[in-house]
Amino acid sequence: MRNALETTNADKPGLRDFLRDVGPTQIATGFVAFLFGATGPLAIILNVGAQGGLSSAQLASFVFGVFFVNGLVTLAMTWAYRLPLAMFWTIPGTVLMGPALKHLSYAEVIGAFYATSLVVLALGVTGMARRLLEFFPMPIVLAMVAGIFIKFGVDVVRALHSDLLVAGAMVVAFFALGAMPGAGRYLPPLIGALLAGVVVAALGGRFAPGAVGALEIVSPVFTPPAFSLRAMTELVAPLAITIVLVQHGQGLAVLSQAGHKPPVNAAAVAAGIGGLLSATVGGVCTALTGSTNALICSAGPRERHYATAMMTALFALAFGVFSPTFTHFMVAAPKELTLTLGGLAMLRALQGAFSGAFKGPFSFGATACFIVTLADMPILNIGAAFWGLVAGFVVSALAEPADFRQ
């Protein structure tokens, strides 16, 4: 284990370092990164849970687990390595949970979450996580990232089409502040876009009734797991593959593109521990996220990205504690606000993914990976991102053997 896990940073940030490195940009970017998970992905949790027959108490407990527990894991990893290492829940895993709940009990699904987290933990401890990820050429991984992130950029156009006032105000504010560096230092473009969208949506009565209510503290619900062969067969392999190859592949590619050197095996260990803790209160497995880390690294000096990640984690901790209250508010916001905010924040990350994927070796395989990922057609309950990696690797091996030899 000592040989497999990467050494932590000897210069761990203290409270004084954190307060020095946190400014308006870090707070605003950290909030936007948190808001990304607290809107669209949260809606996926609520939708899947409702279809699966979960009670409101179980849903609130689920949200508490994926925000509060993973907020703690993010804080610990970011502090230990002085790097932005946002560890949150697996969105594809949550999607897989929906069909499973139609013929499996909630206890059986939670049992599969425990088993998957143990598999991910073992891959990190043994060092197999790094070996698996190093097996895939980085341009192909970046093409997979581009295939996933491009949907966020397209969502901005769709939001403009469906609600020109809200989305248009956000786009104008974002690019206007970006064109004025002086103003952007005091009001970062992303937070300016958020404020513009909230104001226009509020004035237009676009928030659903009951968006703001009294603060309500969550009461976590413990659901004893049940371990069945049926649940293990259906869920464990797809979940583990998605977490280690796809989601960690995204996260590592995004962080590497931003100039960081993330600890691959330690991230898998942290994901395994986070998933085990989340499962105790009904939450899905943990993963190193691509989208959230891309947002964290989208603004500010690279050496202060860790402070942005810590702000994201602090927002997540508060959200987890008051999850019943905040869940109502986030669901009440117009979807165009969320779509536009996420899309604008992803533009730079999308640009970097395209640049890294298609300008050098493995570019033909990267093209195949991009197309398969963009098609978004899962096979055998495994998401298209994984099959994009497979297609890219096979095509590149056949059409670009010289790149492998080099």
Side-chain angles (χ1 to χ4, degrees):
M1 181 173 177
R2 287 183 179 178
N3 294 331
L5 295 186
E6 297 84 354
T7 305
T8 60
N9 194 321
D11 186 23
K12 297 177 179 62
L15 180 59
R16 183 176 298 178
D17 297 321
F18 173 68
L19 294 176
R20 180 197 63 215
D21 290 336
V22 166
T25 297
Q26 286 69 41
I27 295 173
T29 308
F31 180 71
V32 169
F34 151 76
L35 192 66
F36 170 81
T39 47
L42 176 62
I44 295 173
I45 292 176
L46 299 176
N47 185 41
V48 167
Q51 290 180 358
L54 302 188
S55 66
S56 58
Q58 287 174 320
L59 279 173
S61 185
F62 189 114
V63 173
F64 168 78
V66 298
F67 277 94
F68 188 85
V69 172
N70 291 319
L72 291 176
V73 175
T74 297
L75 276 179
M77 286 293 288
T78 299
W79 172 79
Y81 289 93
R82 201 172 183 137
L83 291 173
L85 295 169
M87 310 287 301
F88 284 103
W89 74 97
T90 164
I91 297 174
T94 306
V95 174
L96 281 175
M97 177 182 168
L101 283 172
K102 294 180 179 178
H103 56 271
L104 296 173
S105 68
Y106 188 37
E108 287 178 298
V109 172
I110 291 176
F113 291 165
Y114 276 107
T116 302
S117 297
L118 287 172
V119 170
V120 174
L121 177 62
L123 290 173
V125 169
T126 60
M128 286 298 298
R130 177 178 288 277
R131 294 176 191 174
L132 287 172
L133 285 165
E134 287 178 345
F135 187 69
F136 286 88
M138 187 55 65
I140 295 177
V141 176
L142 286 171
M144 179 265 291
V145 172
I148 294 172
F149 284 7
I150 195 172
K151 299 170 188 176
F152 294 100
V154 174
D155 281 342
V156 177
V157 180
R158 290 175 175 165
L160 285 167
H161 183 266
S162 61
D163 194 330
L164 183 59
L165 287 178
V166 172
M170 296 176 72
V171 170
V172 169
F174 179 83
F175 287 105
L177 288 168
M180 299 182 292
R185 281 197 297 268
Y186 297 100
L187 184 62
L190 275 176
I191 205 67
L194 172 62
L195 292 174
V198 168
V199 170
V200 173
L203 292 176
R206 293 298 315 283
F207 282 93
V212 179
L215 284 177
E216 182 182 350
I217 297 177
V218 69
S219 297
V221 177
F222 173 72
T223 301
F227 299 95
S228 69
L229 180 61
R230 181 173 58 169
M232 300 298 148
T233 303
E234 178 177 346
L235 292 175
V236 174
L239 279 171
I241 290 170
T242 299
I243 290 169
V244 175
L245 286 183
V246 179
Q247 294 206 263
H248 283 212
Q250 289 179 44
L252 295 168
V254 163
L255 291 170
S256 298
Q257 192 74 21
H260 300 291
K261 295 182 179 180
V264 180
N265 292 327
V269 170
I273 294 172
L276 290 171
L277 294 175
S278 294
T280 62
V281 291
V284 73
C285 306
T286 299
L288 180 72
T289 71
S291 304
T292 303
N293 279 304
L295 292 170
I296 288 170
C297 297
S298 65
R302 183 175 60 194
E303 63 273 11
R304 295 170 71 179
H305 287 165
Y306 85 90
T308 305
M310 285 188 162
M311 286 305 309
T312 300
L314 292 174
F315 285 123
L317 291 174
F319 188 90
V321 172
F322 299 103
S323 56
T325 302
F326 291 134
T327 297
H328 292 316
F329 178 78
M330 293 302 178
V331 173
K335 66 177 183 179
E336 288 80 10
L337 191 152
T338 305
L339 293 176
T340 305
L341 190 65
L344 291 174
M346 288 294 183
L347 289 179
R348 290 294 184 188
L350 181 60
Q351 180 188 22
F354 272 118
S355 177
F358 303 115
K359 70 176 182 180
F362 304 103
S363 57
F364 193 51
T367 301
C369 175
F370 175 77
I371 292 171
V372 173
T373 303
L374 185 62
D376 195 21
M377 299 179 67
I379 303 172
L380 301 177
N381 281 334
I382 301 176
F386 170 75
W387 297 112
L389 290 175
V390 173
F393 186 86
V394 171
V395 168
S396 190
L398 294 174
E400 302 168 309
D403 290 340
F404 280 93
R405 286 197 298 269
Q406 183 178 355

